[in-house]
Amino acid sequence: MIYLTALMFIKEGKEHVFNEYESSVLPILKDYNGKLIYRIRPRKEDFIEFEGEKPYELHLISFPTNEDFINFTKDDKRNSFVNLKEGAIKTSFIVKGETI
C-alpha cells in the first residue's frame, strides 16, 4: 500500500475552477483502486507553524501499488481536464509514503 499526501496551492480567485477539476478527477481514483482517505481544507487558524504560503487543501490518498498510482496519472480521462488543473493550481507538493 502506498500513501500520497498532497498539498494543493491554488491561484487566487480560482477556487471554483479547482473545485470543478476535483469533481471531475477524484471519481477516477476508484478506477485504479485509489481511495481518498482525507480531503481537508484548513483554516488560517489551524496552522501552528508554517513556512511560506499555506496550502488551500490537503489530501491523503492510498493506492494498493505504485503501478496503480502511475496508471491513474496516465489516465486519458483524467488528463483531459489538464486545462482546469493548469487554470486553478499554482503548485502542488506530494509526499509519497508506504505502509511500514
Side-chain angles (χ1 to χ4, degrees), residues 21-79:
Y21 172 71
E22 294 239 305
S23 295
S24 302
V25 170
L26 289 176
I28 300 170
L29 283 169
K30 66 180 176 359
D31 296 340
Y32 297 92
N33 306 307
K35 181 178 177 183
L36 179 64
I37 299 169
Y38 298 117
R39 182 177 175 200
I40 303 166
R41 200 167 285 162
R43 300 166 303 179
K44 289 180 182 179
E45 60 270 16
D46 293 330
F47 292 87
I48 298 167
E49 291 184 33
F50 70 94
E51 182 178 317
E53 185 178 0
K54 297 174 185 173
Y56 175 74
E57 198 166 277
L58 299 102
H59 298 175
L60 180 60
I61 300 170
S62 68
F63 287 93
T65 68
N66 192 60
E67 184 177 15
D68 287 326
F69 169 60
I70 297 299
N71 290 335
F72 168 71
T73 65
K74 294 179 179 180
D75 181 86
D76 290 336
K77 184 175 180 184
R78 177 185 178 271
N79 291 326

Side-chain angles (χ1 to χ4, degrees), residues 4-20:
L4 304 169
T5 302
L7 289 80
M8 313 301 289
F9 299 88
I10 308 305
K11 295 176 182 176
E12 189 173 336
K14 297 297 181 176
E15 294 82 4
H16 65 287
V17 178
F18 176 72
N19 291 332
E20 183 179 349

